[in-house]
């Protein structure tokens, strides 16, 4: 999304852009999966929002570890993003007056999140994709689908192009440019199971790091509290249930361990448990924010309950997200609005289910397909999972990395979210970086290149980079190993999750290093890994 | 679960492909269809054979990458799901499952189950946008109220994931559902209404040019569409297109 939006803006401004993605179309980038929404300081709800307040919330949410100047700029352009998207035909949710609707997200006390049901990322990405398509149609952007960037090429210390592999023919290609922009997303998949897409590997960011771009805060990984729990070893990825559900769902586990056992063995249904036997632990511990505490707090609290043995599914790693009281609250409201008199409790619940369906229908459907339980009739089960990486490639205020002429945008950079990202702020950052920041800051670098002319791909630097890439690939292909890539990825990811996950300590981290060394030896010919 | 899989194997776009049979054991009914394919590929790799190539990425039904024709149906027997969301509990132990790529002239097979859907991108490049620059200087987002009903309908059309199941299902390999979803989304919103007719003409021209077939209103596409994109969109597009061709002729 950061890449698509940047390409569109740059092309409009007159630059010639080559864009690369590994999918068969840029419309499939993983931003497509973002569900909940995008923040902007519009103050449409008249609840006291402002640029300063969005800035303050984002910096505080990130535990004061974000770069404040970048965040302030982000807050300033946030409102333009919404204007821009609406002008492009992004169908955000609206109220009956025809104006844009908002919801609130974790860690924030105002309602500033714009959304399109549970598919906000899809709509924003497709908006950027359409702006990009318009420029591809005009020949201003040349799109290379099914291409994987495998290295950056530096000439005289400046980023001057990339080496990419055509994933259909297998050919290694050289592409030159006056600047290189990396918008390749985060590194959540080092944990194997995450809410990221299967192809979201960190190759591009890692390769520029190896060529001299600093990497900042790799320890800051976001573990999202509301994901569908793991069901078994066959699992290849985890699915997020949007955080917006915490607006209406209440999180609980049974108060008594006997009830936990009865539920796990199927003797007791969660709906049968009396109110006083439930522990709404977030409401108990954080009365002001309740179920809307920031993500890191919600995740650690769920882990704490499950570590104490209160997990409600077979693996012991799940808590309930219960909509029963929302069904009643909305049902009553709806009955009033529609003038249904003396509505029975069943009628009220039915009306309430309808309201929830209108808000989150696709999420409920997704849950049912995966878990095979109807979340309108029984509470959802959720558990934290790796979701987003705040850390990333270090960039300056111009979003340039420590390699001159090489930039990093979106989740790939480190700048805006500090130690913890608030909900609905990654989409905001991606589009801000792409539409409104990079296209203007990149000029600072390109101005010096006005007389440089085209860069030849016959330069020795290109030949050298290509040779190294080919050698690296051959090492992988010729290695006489007996296991698949997945085999290693799964095991390494498990070590990361167990020892470098939600809580870390010296002993665990040291054990993790030992385990990595062992796998590296098993991997034999795969020398890259030992160097790392 | 133990299963027999009959899978289309084709080395590259010029090679002749054929169905090949594989036995697979110990599949969890809770795993997704693609996780079952992962298991198969792992077995193949450990035996030193070539894994089956298939497109996939998000594995949560939204990117539109996955594209398998399973037992004669696009995305398999379940409704309103993509292949990655299809779970093995929908199949019976011991069953034989046929897995083929999308079949359409405009979607040539590249390898095994992978097809080239770039024709969809080219249709989009021809007009699937609102002609507005990304300057950020557009008017305030709330300056033009949009009736909730129109906004909701536009949203429903906009949820198309560009998977191509509609094309694979249609006996004419028509792309009308895909194209009409985009045309409708933008025509329903005031921002896109201005150039609605031009857009319809350009996208339809490109669609024809790519070799997609004609729509004969069979409605099979709507049934197999994982996002429930409705046939109403085709009717709406036909209105745009017809009025456009009439005005441009006059
Ligand atoms: C399930 C889910 C839900 C989310 N919900 C929200 C939400 O509600 N609100 C919010 O603000 N944020 C949300 N986020 C976070 C947000 O969606 C992401 O951080 C953001 O979309 C990332 O955008 P991006 O442009 O940086 O990367 P992406 O959109 O992932 O794009 C990366 C691109 O880089 C390309 N690429 C990567 N490596 C290479 C390579 N080596 N060679 C060539 N191309 C490459 C890919 O092809 C892809 O096109 C969510 C994230 C997930 C996973
Ligand atoms: S209309 Fe439906 S089947 Fe066709 S591409 Fe869109 S989502 Fe896929
Ligand atoms: S893999 Fe993304 S829709 Fe199936």
């Amino acid at each position: 999304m950061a890449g698509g939006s940047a390409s569109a803006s740059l092309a409009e401004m007159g630059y010639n852009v080559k864009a690369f993605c590994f999918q068969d179309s840029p419309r499939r980038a993983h931003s497509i999966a973002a569900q909940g929404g995008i923040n902007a300081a519009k103050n449409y709800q008249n609840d006291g929002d402002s640029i300063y307040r969005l800035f303050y919330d984002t910096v505080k949410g990130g535990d004061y570890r974000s770069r404040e100047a970048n965040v302030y700029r982000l807050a300033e352009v946030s409102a333009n993003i919404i204007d821009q998207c609406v002008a492009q035909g992004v169908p955000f949710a609206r109220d009956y007056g025809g104006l844009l609707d908002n919801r609130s997200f974790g860690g924030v006390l105002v309602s500033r999140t714009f959304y399109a049901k549970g598919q906000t990322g899809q709509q924003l990405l497709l908006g950027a994709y359409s702006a990009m398509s318009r420029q591809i149609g005009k020949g201003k952007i040349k799109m290379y689908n099914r291409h994987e960037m495998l290295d950056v090429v530096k000439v005289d210390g400046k980023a001057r192009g990339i080496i990419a592999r055509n994933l259909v023919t297998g050919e290694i290609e050289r592409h030159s440019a006056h600047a290189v922009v990396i918008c390749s997303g985060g590194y959540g998949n080092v944990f194997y199971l995450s809410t990221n897409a299967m192809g979201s590997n960190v190759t591009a960011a890692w390769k520029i790091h190896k060529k001299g771009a600093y990497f900042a805060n790799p320890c800051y990984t976001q573990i999202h509290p509301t994901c569908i729990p793991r069901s078994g070893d066959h699992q290849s990825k985890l699915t997020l249930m949007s955080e917006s559900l915490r607006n209406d769902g209440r999180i609980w586990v049974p108060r008594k361990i006997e009830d936990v056992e009865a539920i796990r063995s199927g003797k007791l249904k969660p709906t049968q448990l009396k109110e006083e036997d439930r522990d709404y632990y977030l409401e108990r511990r954080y009365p002001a924010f309740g179920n809307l505490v920031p993500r890191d707090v919600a995740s650690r609290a769920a882990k704490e309950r499950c570590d104490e043995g209160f997990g409600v599914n077979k693996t012991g790693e799940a808590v309930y997200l219960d909509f029963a009281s929302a069904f009643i609250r909305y049902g009553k409201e709806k009955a009033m609005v529609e003038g249904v008199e003396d509505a029975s409790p069943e009628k009220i619940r039915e009306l309430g289910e309808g309201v929830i369906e209108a808000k989150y229908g696709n999420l409920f459907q997704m849950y049912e397909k995966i878990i095979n339980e109807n979340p309108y009739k029984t509470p959802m089960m959720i558990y934290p999972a790796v979701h987003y990486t705040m850390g990333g490639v270090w960039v300056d205020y111009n979003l340039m990395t420590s390699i001159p002429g090489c930039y990093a945008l979106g989740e790939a950079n480190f700048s805006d979210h500090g130690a913890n990202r608030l909900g609905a702020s990654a989409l905001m950052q991606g589009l801000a970086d792409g539409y409104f920041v990079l296209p203007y800051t990149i000029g600072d670098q390109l101005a010096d290149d006005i007389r440089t002319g085209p860069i030849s791909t016959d330069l020795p630097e290109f030949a050298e980079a290509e040779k190294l890439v080919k050698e690296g690939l051959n090492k992988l292909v010729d290695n006489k190993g007996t296991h698949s890539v997945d085999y290693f990825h799964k095991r390494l990811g498990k070590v990361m999750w167990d020892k470098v996950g939600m809580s870390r300590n010296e002993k665990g981290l040291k054990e993790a290093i030992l385990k990595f060394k062992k796998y590296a030896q098993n991997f034999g010919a795969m020398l890259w890994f030992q160097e790392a | 679960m133990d299963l027999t899989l009959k899978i289309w194997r084709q080395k590259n776009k010029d090679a002749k492909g054929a169905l090949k049979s594989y036995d697979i054991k110990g599949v969890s009914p809770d795993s997704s269809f693609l996780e079952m394919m992962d298991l198969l590929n792992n077995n193949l790799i450990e035996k030193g054979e070539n894994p089956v190539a298939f497109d996939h990425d998000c594995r949560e039904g939204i990117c539109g990458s996955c594209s398998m024709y399973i037992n004669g149906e696009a995305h398999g027997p379940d409704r309103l799901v993509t292949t990655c969301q299809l779970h093995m509990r929908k199949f019976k132990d011991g069953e034989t499952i046929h897995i083929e790529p999308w079949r359409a002239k405009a979607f040539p097979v590249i390898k095994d189950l992978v097809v080239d859907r770039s024709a969809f991108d080219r249709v989009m490049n021809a007009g699937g946008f609102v002609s507005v620059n990304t300057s950020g200087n557009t008017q305030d987002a709330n300056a033009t109220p949009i009736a909730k009903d129109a906004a909701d309908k536009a949203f429903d059309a906009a949820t198309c994931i560009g998977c191509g199941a509609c094309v694979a299902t249609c006996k004419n390999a028509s792309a009308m559902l895909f194209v009409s979803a985009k045309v409708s989304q933008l025509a329903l919103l005031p921002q896109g209404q201005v150039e609605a007719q031009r857009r319809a003409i350009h996208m339809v021209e490109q669609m024809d040019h790519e070799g997609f077939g004609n729509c004969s209103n069979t409605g099979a596409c709507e049934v197999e569409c994982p996002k429930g994109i409705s046939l109403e969109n085709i009717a709406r597009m036909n209105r745009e297109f017809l009025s456009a061709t009439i005005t441009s002729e006059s």
Side-chain angles (χ1 to χ4, degrees):
Chain A
M1 190 174 72
S5 49
S7 311
S9 285
L10 287 168
E12 286 171 15
M13 292 165 81
Y15 295 105
N16 291 313
V17 182
K18 283 185 176 185
F20 299 79
C21 76
F22 60 71
Q23 293 93 343
D24 66 335
S25 163
R27 67 175 293 146
R28 310 202 197 284
H30 199 52
S31 295
I32 200 101
Q35 301 172 348
I38 175 165
N39 287 334
K42 278 284 196 188
N43 194 29
Y44 282 160
Q45 303 306 323
N46 200 13
D47 52 6
D49 201 7
S50 64
I51 288 175
Y52 181 78
R53 192 157 180 178
L54 172 56
F55 158 73
Y56 174 83
D57 284 345
T58 309
V59 170
K60 175 169 175 258
D63 273 338
Y64 304 95
R65 264 116 164 146
S66 335
R67 185 185 287 123
E68 295 181 3
N70 292 41
V71 178
Y72 196 80
R73 176 178 62 192
L74 175 65
E76 283 180 311
V77 298
S78 64
N80 302 72
I81 300 176
I82 304 303
D83 298 343
Q84 182 64 45
C85 292
V86 167
Q88 281 168 355
V90 170
F92 284 121
R94 290 179 181 266
D95 60 24
Y96 284 102
L99 302 179
L100 293 164
D101 196 17
N102 290 112
R103 49 170 61 143
S104 51
F105 253 50
V108 169
L109 297 172
V110 294
S111 207
R112 65 159 75 99
T113 304
F114 295 78
Y115 66 100
K117 267 202 182 156
Q119 278 137 281
T120 318
Q122 179 194 30
Q123 295 311 318
L124 296 174
L125 180 77
L126 294 182
Y129 164 70
S130 71
M132 197 182 182
S133 298
R134 181 166 164 246
Q135 299 303 324
I136 297 175
K138 289 181 177 176
K140 294 297 294 176
I141 300 177
K142 182 138 177 42
M143 188 67 220
Y144 294 84
N145 296 323
R146 295 194 195 270
H147 273 68
E148 186 174 27
M149 181 275 202
L150 290 178
D151 213 346
V152 63
V153 181
K154 277 165 66 175
V155 180
D156 297 334
K158 288 186 185 171
R160 290 302 198 190
I162 63 166
I163 304 292
R165 188 162 71 113
N166 178 326
L167 297 176
V168 177
T169 62
E171 259 164 83
I172 305 293
E173 302 171 0
R174 305 175 186 183
H175 296 272
S176 69
H178 294 96
V180 174
V181 185
I182 302 292
C183 314
S184 51
Y187 49 88
N189 271 347
V190 297
F191 291 86
Y192 190 70
L193 285 182
S194 84
T195 62
N196 284 6
M198 304 304 285
S200 306
N201 65 42
V202 67
T203 306
W206 181 245
K207 287 298 174 182
I208 63 169
H209 172 59
K210 297 290 257 184
K211 282 282 170 79
Y214 300 149
F215 212 90
N217 304 341
C219 53
Y220 294 152
T221 304
Q222 179 157 81
I223 318 278
H224 196 292
T226 56
C227 300
I228 299 182
R230 204 170 64 89
S231 69
D233 285 337
H234 52 81
Q235 202 137 347
S236 57
K237 74 155 282 168
L238 294 170
T239 302
L240 177 79
M241 287 284 104
S242 167
E243 172 170 30
S244 58
L245 293 173
R246 286 202 275 144
N247 269 313
D248 289 313
R250 299 175 68 197
I251 296 176
W252 62 276
V253 291
R255 206 173 276 283
K256 297 189 219 132
I257 219 77
E258 311 83 274
D259 289 337
V260 173
E261 279 152 18
I263 285 177
R264 280 193 203 168
S265 63
K267 287 192 202 107
L268 185 70
K269 290 205 181 93
T271 43
Q272 293 167 328
L273 209 64
K274 289 206 274 311
E275 272 305 298
E276 60 268 27
D277 290 332
R278 303 176 178 196
D279 177 13
Y280 294 93
Y281 56 86
L282 289 176
E283 297 171 28
R284 167 167 63 79
R285 289 173 59 182
Y286 308 100
F289 282 87
N291 292 293
L292 287 176
V293 291
R295 292 179 174 173
D296 53 337
V297 177
S299 292
R300 272 194 301 273
K303 178 170 156 57
E304 188 274 334
R305 282 293 80 194
C306 292
D307 287 351
E308 291 302 310
F310 290 92
V312 294
N313 70 351
K314 285 205 187 77
T315 64
E317 293 191 332
V319 300
Y320 288 123
L321 178 63
D322 195 336
F323 293 88
S325 53
F327 291 145
I328 310 231
R329 179 161 43 91
Y330 285 121
K332 280 188 180 154
E333 207 179 297
K334 186 96 182 169
M336 290 283 264
V337 171
E338 297 198 341
V340 185
E341 274 168 37
D342 301 329
S344 64
E346 292 78 36
K347 181 72 191 168
I348 287 182
R349 187 172 166 111
E350 186 195 313
L351 290 170
E353 286 180 7
V355 175
I356 291 284
E357 188 182 354
K359 280 186 142 176
Y360 312 111
N362 70 314
L363 300 175
F364 275 59
Q365 184 225 9
M366 200 149 85
Y367 182 88
E368 183 166 1
K369 292 287 178 195
I370 295 176
I371 297 288
N372 211 19
E373 276 182 8
N374 180 347
Y376 292 100
K377 301 300 168 204
T378 181
M380 276 186 186
M381 288 183 289
I382 52 164
Y383 197 68
V386 172
H387 175 61
Y388 181 88
T389 53
M390 281 74 68
V393 179
W394 181 92
V395 290
D396 63 12
Y397 186 68
N398 282 357
L399 303 184
M400 190 162 84
T401 69
S402 43
I403 303 176
C406 180
Y407 294 76
L409 321 188
E411 190 171 340
N413 80 25
F414 90 109
S415 68
D416 292 3
H417 308 293
N420 174 49
R421 179 177 68 85
L422 291 181
S425 58
L427 294 173
M428 170 172 69
Q429 184 216 339
L431 290 181
D433 286 359
Y435 284 139
F436 305 133
V437 179
L438 175 94
Y440 301 92
T441 59
I442 202 168
D444 195 35
Q445 179 76 15
L446 292 177
D448 294 337
D449 270 325
I450 203 141
R451 289 191 180 76
T452 307
I455 305 211
S456 162
T457 51
D458 295 330
L459 290 170
E461 287 86 351
F462 275 92
E464 175 67 13
E466 183 186 288
K467 186 172 141 254
L468 288 176
V469 162
K470 282 189 172 156
E471 280 172 14
L473 290 176
N474 286 339
K475 254 186 223 163
L476 284 173
V477 174
D478 297 340
N479 130 15
K480 299 272 179 292
T482 47
H483 293 298
S484 66
V485 175
D486 250 20
Y487 172 96
F488 287 99
H489 189 186
K490 237 180 202 171
R491 281 159 184 77
L492 292 169
K494 175 125 179 40
V495 179
M496 285 295 289
W497 177 243
D498 290 343
K499 310 278 178 198
V500 200
M502 251 183 290
S503 51
R504 302 165 200 172
N505 54 43
E506 189 185 342
K507 185 167 155 275
L509 293 176
K510 285 193 168 144
E511 283 166 16
I513 293 174
L514 284 179
K515 290 202 173 171
F516 293 148
K517 285 201 172 134
K518 201 184 92 202
Y519 282 120
Q521 278 159 8
N522 287 351
F523 211 55
M526 202 9 206
L527 292 166
W528 289 5
F529 188 60
Q530 278 157 329
E531 277 168 32
Chain B
M1 300 166 77
D2 297 344
L3 303 160
T4 303
L5 307 172
K6 298 219 182 281
I7 303 180
W8 185 261
R9 300 301 308 257
Q10 178 172 335
K11 205 157 177 236
N12 55 45
K13 82 178 189 317
D14 304 314
K16 216 173 131 240
L19 282 173
K20 200 166 171 219
S21 189
Y22 299 91
D23 287 323
I24 182 166
K25 292 195 166 42
V27 176
S28 161
D30 285 331
S31 63
S32 71
F33 200 85
L34 297 187
E35 285 162 356
M36 183 277 291
M37 294 296 292
D38 290 343
L39 181 65
L40 172 75
N41 276 346
N42 245 309
N43 294 347
L44 292 177
I45 291 169
E46 308 228 323
K47 281 195 289 186
E49 292 178 39
N50 256 329
V52 180
F54 59 89
D55 266 327
H56 67 107
D57 199 27
C58 74
R59 295 210 175 183
E60 51 185 272
I62 193 76
C63 74
S65 293
C66 60
S67 49
M68 293 181 192
Y69 211 70
I70 303 163
N71 285 346
E73 285 184 89
H75 297 301
D78 205 358
R79 287 290 163 263
L80 296 175
V81 293
T82 53
T83 301
C84 59
Q85 291 173 299
L86 174 66
H87 278 73
M88 295 313 294
R89 58 179 90 95
K90 297 281 166 194
F91 297 88
K92 287 192 286 295
D93 191 23
E95 197 171 330
T96 299
I97 307 177
H98 284 80
I99 312 172
E100 291 194 62
W102 285 173
R103 302 275 185 204
K105 187 170 137 223
F107 289 166
V109 176
I110 300 175
K111 185 177 183 176
D112 298 341
L113 304 172
V114 178
V115 300
D116 178 358
R117 283 172 291 195
S118 52
F120 268 8
D121 282 330
R122 289 188 294 272
V123 171
M124 281 291 293
N125 299 344
F129 45 77
V130 175
S131 298
V132 57
N133 287 339
T134 63
S135 63
N137 297 330
T138 50
Q139 63 174 4
D140 183 85
N142 261 349
T144 313
I146 302 176
K148 183 168 168 37
D149 188 43
D152 286 352
K153 279 207 179 110
F155 170 82
D156 288 342
T159 56
C160 163
I161 56 176
C163 62
C166 45
V167 176
T169 301
C170 175
K171 63 181 174 16
N172 310 320
S174 164
M176 281 293 268
L177 199 60
F178 167 79
V179 177
S180 69
K182 190 45 74 181
V183 167
S184 288
Q185 174 206 337
L186 297 177
L188 280 160
L189 299 169
Q191 290 81 5
Q193 178 55 50
V194 185
E195 54 185 333
Q197 299 188 344
R198 247 173 74 87
R199 176 181 307 115
I201 293 180
H202 287 160
M203 291 181 79
V204 168
E205 264 173 20
Q206 188 65 31
M207 171 179 89
D208 292 342
H209 179 73
E210 295 290 346
F212 291 106
N214 291 325
C215 172
S216 50
N217 269 315
T218 323
C221 52
E222 185 185 38
V223 179
E224 292 295 344
C225 170
K227 295 293 137 179
I229 302 293
S230 135
L231 284 180
E232 262 178 55
N233 292 304
I234 299 188
R236 195 174 294 115
M237 170 158 109
N238 282 338
R239 281 199 298 277
E240 290 297 339
F241 187 68
L242 270 179
S243 57
T245 38
I246 291 167
T247 28
S248 65
E249 274 164 21
S250 62

